[in-house]
Amino acid sequence: MLLTDVLLLDVLSVITAILAVGYAYLKWTQQYWKRKGVPYIEPSPLFGGSKSEVKNARDGAVDIYKTAKANGWRHVGIYRLTNCIYIPIDVELVKHILTKDFGYFIDRGLYVNERDDPLGVNLFFLSGQKWRNLRAKLSPTFTSGKLKAMFQTLVDCGLVMEKYIDENVNISEPVDIKEILANFSTDIIGTCAFGIDCNSFKEPNSPFRATSKRFFFRTKLERYKSAIAMTFPKLARALRIVINNPEVSSFYGKVVEDTIHYRLKNNVRRKDLLQMLIDMMIDEKNQEDGQSDGGLTMTEIAAQCFLFFIAGFETSSTTMTFALFELAKHPKCQEKVRDELKRVLAKHGDQVTYDALGDMKYMSQVIDETLRLYPPLATLMRQCVKDYKVPGEDVVIEKGTKVLIPVLGPQMDEEFYENPKEFNPDRFDEDKRKKIPQYAHLPFGEGPRICIGERFGVMESKVGLTCILRNFKVSLNEKTKLPMKLDPRNLIPAVEGGVWLNLHKLESKI
């Protein structure tokens, strides 16, 4: 036998041995929940996830929840490659994890690469004490007073949207309502987060719109990189893997840096989020008592503005889109919203004011019901930071275990919502919502890590819906494909083919 043949056999033997050991390790890992005595979903042979989850994470999460409920399980274990993930099903367990025992689950367990992806170091991704420090600094930026200061900006953007529809939308032609609302949201977040007039209705292909679209649409390669980063974070950091597109990060980083330098050099001030962060940076730099922890850096400010833009732009425009989709299908609900608009605006001098939004109770119900059916995220992620004894169970969740909180599953559960597939805002009226468990409606999360921009997002959605519904009656156009299907490639739910509506001009504006 030739030497080369011997070497080839040796190499093949080594490869075979490595594969055999790897497979054996994978199979041993996928017995973890069985050894712990936790009910589990039978994993697929290679990737670990259930078949539906591998195909579509959003639908898969609901299927897992339904399977667990049907079997009467309070919790369930699943696998993703070598990750063993714990899922609480009982809403009382969810309450413990998100709030009561938050100290055990302070982290989200998301991939962070500070060296190569500085804009990823934002409030959503950070963990431990870094998260606590930053949350404490940012919380004052979303008080009622600060929201009121930014409110007129939202109204002004709404007026621009109204004018655009009046001048450019042919009432005999359907409109892709998501595009209109995305322009509205881009203008709001661009102004409030960056202090920049995006003019999205005049420049629909502006850098802000193009860059935001690029962020939310992930290629297969990017999705694979994210999966590797989440499963093997240490290896991913060693390989310098980033999950945010470098061009997107570079764009937003430069926008923030240039804007801050311009404002400081020219002594320019605006009533927006960026100004609050700049003031925070300056105030802490000027402290002389030695107690400052260093304040916000330029990179940290850029990271928070980036998060605010990405989260605020897409979630609000998506929520408004689905709300109008459902109101178009349910004209009685739509008329009820419009009747409330007439009554409330008349009370406030026919002006859209901050206090007027607070009086729009039924519109709040519409938004709550929309977020029940179409939450931005189907699940919430947490990570156990120290061994945790599950209440009422002889099970200990070990430090480092990832925890997946179901959001869409409970929100579509007949135990909590009668006819859950039906759009019914009345289920959230003041009396009926008391019967809904708090932790069975989690579109913004709950506990100390609840979405910091929740009130801003609802305020933005109310302004957008008001500007459209006080001028137009909306109905569903046949270009909207029914039954509606969501695009699995998008991070936030997006309708395949778009939501196309007919806009019928009202005889008199409300």
Side-chain angles (χ1 to χ4, degrees), residues 17-195:
I18 291 173
L19 291 175
V21 171
Y23 180 75
Y25 174 71
L26 183 63
K27 295 302 292 182
W28 179 81
T29 299
Q30 292 179 357
Q31 295 296 310
Y32 177 81
W33 292 120
K34 184 177 182 180
R35 294 193 298 272
K36 297 282 287 185
V38 174
Y40 63 95
I41 303 295
E42 195 66 40
S44 63
L46 182 58
F47 296 106
S50 64
K51 291 181 180 179
S52 61
E53 189 184 18
V54 170
K55 185 178 180 181
N56 186 315
R58 194 176 184 88
D59 292 342
V62 176
D63 289 344
I64 290 169
Y65 178 86
K66 288 181 177 178
T67 298
K69 286 283 289 192
N71 285 283
W73 300 339
R74 294 185 70 223
H75 53 190
V76 64
I78 65 169
Y79 302 93
R80 287 180 182 168
L81 293 176
T82 59
N83 276 345
C84 305
I85 300 174
Y86 176 80
I87 302 179
I89 300 299
D90 189 316
V91 291
E92 279 301 309
L93 291 183
V94 173
K95 181 178 182 178
H96 276 275
I97 290 171
L98 292 182
T99 305
K100 281 190 173 182
D101 300 323
F102 173 73
Y104 290 85
F105 303 96
I106 184 175
D107 296 348
R108 282 200 168 99
L110 300 174
Y111 176 71
V112 177
N113 182 348
E114 294 189 35
R115 177 179 61 176
D116 303 303
D117 188 15
L119 294 196
V121 188
N122 56 56
L123 192 64
F124 188 82
F125 286 87
L126 282 177
S127 58
Q129 195 58 42
K130 286 187 177 180
W131 170 80
R132 287 186 187 276
N133 293 342
L134 190 57
R135 178 84 182 201
K137 292 175 183 176
L138 294 180
S139 291
T141 63
F142 290 96
T143 61
S144 296
K146 298 294 174 63
L147 291 177
K148 285 183 179 180
M150 291 188 281
F151 181 75
Q152 190 55 46
T153 298
L154 276 67
V155 174
D156 292 342
C157 290
L159 294 176
V160 171
M161 177 173 65
E162 288 183 24
K163 183 178 180 182
Y164 171 83
I165 296 175
D166 275 337
E167 296 178 353
N168 296 278
V169 173
N170 188 334
I171 60 173
S172 63
E173 296 291 331
V175 297
D176 183 347
I177 197 64
K178 175 63 185 296
E179 280 302 303
I180 289 178
L181 293 169
N183 287 336
F184 167 68
S185 289
T186 299
D187 284 353
I188 285 178
I189 305 299
T191 303
C192 292
F194 297 91

Side-chain angles (χ1 to χ4, degrees), residues 212-497:
S212 59
K213 286 180 180 180
R214 178 67 186 85
F215 176 84
F216 282 101
F217 186 86
R218 298 296 179 97
T219 64
K220 279 189 176 180
L221 177 59
E222 288 171 333
R223 296 201 297 273
Y224 289 146
K225 285 169 63 178
S226 294
I228 292 172
M230 288 294 295
T231 308
F232 309 107
K234 292 182 179 179
L235 174 62
R237 278 188 283 269
L239 295 175
R240 307 192 72 165
I241 290 178
V242 297
I243 58 176
N244 288 320
N245 182 285
E247 293 180 6
V248 174
S249 297
S250 177
F251 171 79
Y252 285 111
K254 188 175 187 308
V255 167
V256 171
E257 187 173 347
D258 289 348
T259 305
I260 291 177
H261 285 315
Y262 175 81
R263 291 194 188 186
L264 294 178
K265 181 180 178 180
N266 297 280
N267 196 28
V268 173
R269 295 186 59 83
R270 294 185 60 158
K271 294 179 179 180
D272 55 29
L273 175 73
L274 180 57
Q275 189 63 54
M276 297 175 202
L277 298 178
I278 293 172
D279 291 344
M280 209 177 296
M281 177 179 70
I282 294 173
D283 289 345
E284 295 204 29
K285 279 185 177 180
N286 290 337
Q287 285 185 6
E288 297 179 354
D289 57 10
Q291 299 301 310
S292 173
D293 62 2
L296 289 175
T297 65
M298 187 79 75
T299 300
E300 285 175 329
I301 290 178
Q304 308 327 308
C305 288
F306 172 67
L307 170 65
F308 188 52
F309 185 87
I310 293 303
F313 149 72
E314 185 66 15
T315 55
S316 294
S317 60
T318 298
T319 298
M320 288 183 283
T321 296
F322 283 122
L324 290 174
F325 169 77
E326 291 293 346
L327 291 175
K329 291 199 304 177
H330 299 84
K332 289 184 179 179
C333 294
Q334 184 180 158
E335 283 307 310
K336 195 169 180 179
V337 172
R338 197 168 287 112
D339 289 342
E340 180 180 70
L341 283 176
K342 290 178 183 177
R343 184 176 67 257
V344 170
L345 293 181
K347 176 183 173 183
H348 292 271
D350 294 324
Q351 298 297 312
V352 181
T353 66
Y354 184 85
D355 291 333
L357 291 195
D359 288 342
M360 296 177 186
K361 306 300 183 183
Y362 188 71
M363 185 179 286
S364 293
Q365 294 171 213
V366 168
I367 292 173
D368 282 338
E369 177 70 342
T370 300
L371 289 170
R372 181 187 71 81
L373 290 168
Y374 312 100
L377 298 175
T379 58
L380 305 173
M381 183 68 82
R382 294 292 185 269
Q383 185 168 29
C384 187
V385 298
K386 50 187 175 181
D387 290 357
Y388 176 72
K389 168 72 167 56
V390 178
E393 301 287 340
D394 188 22
V395 173
V396 173
I397 304 302
E398 296 180 277
K399 177 182 178 180
T401 302
K402 291 186 177 179
V403 179
L404 208 63
I405 309 294
V407 173
L408 186 55
Q411 292 181 182
M412 296 296 290
D413 192 334
E414 291 182 354
E415 179 183 350
F416 309 123
Y417 302 96
E418 185 179 356
N419 300 320
K421 293 183 180 180
E422 176 186 322
F423 177 77
N424 179 15
D426 287 336
R427 68 173 94 242
F428 284 99
D429 71 22
E430 190 172 351
D431 293 327
K432 292 180 181 177
R433 76 177 302 141
K434 294 177 183 177
K435 300 177 182 179
I436 301 172
Q438 181 180 356
Y439 291 81
H441 189 252
L442 298 171
F444 294 101
E446 193 51 81
R449 288 203 81 142
I450 192 172
C451 174
I452 195 171
E454 174 186 1
R455 291 198 297 167
F456 183 93
V458 172
M459 181 171 73
E460 178 185 347
S461 297
K462 280 189 170 183
V463 170
L465 292 174
T466 295
C467 289
I468 288 179
L469 294 174
R470 71 173 176 173
N471 288 285
F472 298 94
K473 179 180 178 181
V474 299
S475 61
L476 210 58
N477 186 269
E478 60 185 12
K479 284 186 69 174
T480 302
K481 297 178 181 178
L482 297 176
M484 184 177 64
K485 292 183 179 180
L486 301 182
D487 188 341
R489 297 170 297 178
N490 274 54
L491 295 175
I492 303 295
V495 179
E496 289 186 350

